[in-house]
Amino acid sequence: MMFRFLIVIIGVFSIGLTYSQTCCSGGIPLSNNIGLEFSEDHSLILGLSYDFNNLNTLKNDSETLDDDSRLRTTHSVLVNAGYSFSKKLSIEGLFTWVNQRRIISQFDTENLDQTYGIGDAIVLARYKIINNIEKNWSINLGFGVKIPVGSSTETNDQGITLNADLQPGSNAWDLIYLLGASKTFDFRPTMTFSTRVVYRQPGENTTYFGNSTYQFGDELQAYISLSDQFIIKKTFINPGITFKYRNATKDRTLGFDIPNTGGDWVFIIPNFSIQLFQNASFNAAAELPLYSRPDGIQLTPTYRLTTGLLFNLFNKPQALIIN
């Protein structure tokens, strides 16, 4: 019995080392896209966006390796829907369709593994615990769950089940915690400073490869943002800048840490939105790495692009105020 146990443990770490240069530190952008902003109570917000994540930078801790033979991309279609029951309480859902690709180029040949389909979903409730109207600042708390509706058993062309980081779903329920705050300024009421922290506590997939276990590492994401609003030719334009810090602990299988997973990253995210029609806007953002230090050898994000449409369905039309 002890001999079999040792063989399993050796096999787990051998798999981690064998695929170390194809592990990646990015993927489906679930935590990135929660936290809708409601302008009034009894309003319904619907968002539809496309997210492209390109991972073509291979790093060994803080060292960038001269190797571009490995490429990971994630194409995601995201649907956000949220409703505010009052000025303090709201609920939102995030639903995804994803296509993940891993390409390894060696000796003038390319090996492609990919999966596509419905990804996992998030349902999040938020409550505004402080709303100081006189001083123009607020604090809100959120709690939610990630629901494992996506497949976690997709296979490659040879019928071999792909690793967890390539699957559309995780086959595990995660807990999501959110803390957010925002403030506007008397000297410029259209300018908003905001911050939020999202913590994801993953559950465990107990049927990984049929009879094994897999658990993604805990993830912390912290955002600091500054945005403003301008009117150009009777059109609202909202530019902004966000700094994001992401920390992920190591993934685990059979109770052991998996090599070449987890790490720390810092990104800058310039973004803007343009009002297209009354209560409908187009938004776009680019996520660029400022600092990355994955644990071990990993592909890390080179850039991420997000575009989308946002509809405020029950809000009163905004009045244009032009001086």
Side-chain angles (χ1 to χ4, degrees), residues 69-80:
S69 63
R70 292 161 177 81
L71 171 66
R72 282 289 305 270
T73 59
T74 302
H75 303 261
S76 305
V77 177
L78 308 161
V79 177
N80 290 74

Side-chain angles (χ1 to χ4, degrees), residues 30-31 48 64 109 130 137 139 148 277 299 301:
L30 291 177
S31 300
L48 176 64
T64 300
T109 62
I130 297 177
W137 66 280
I139 297 177
F277 309 101
L299 279 173

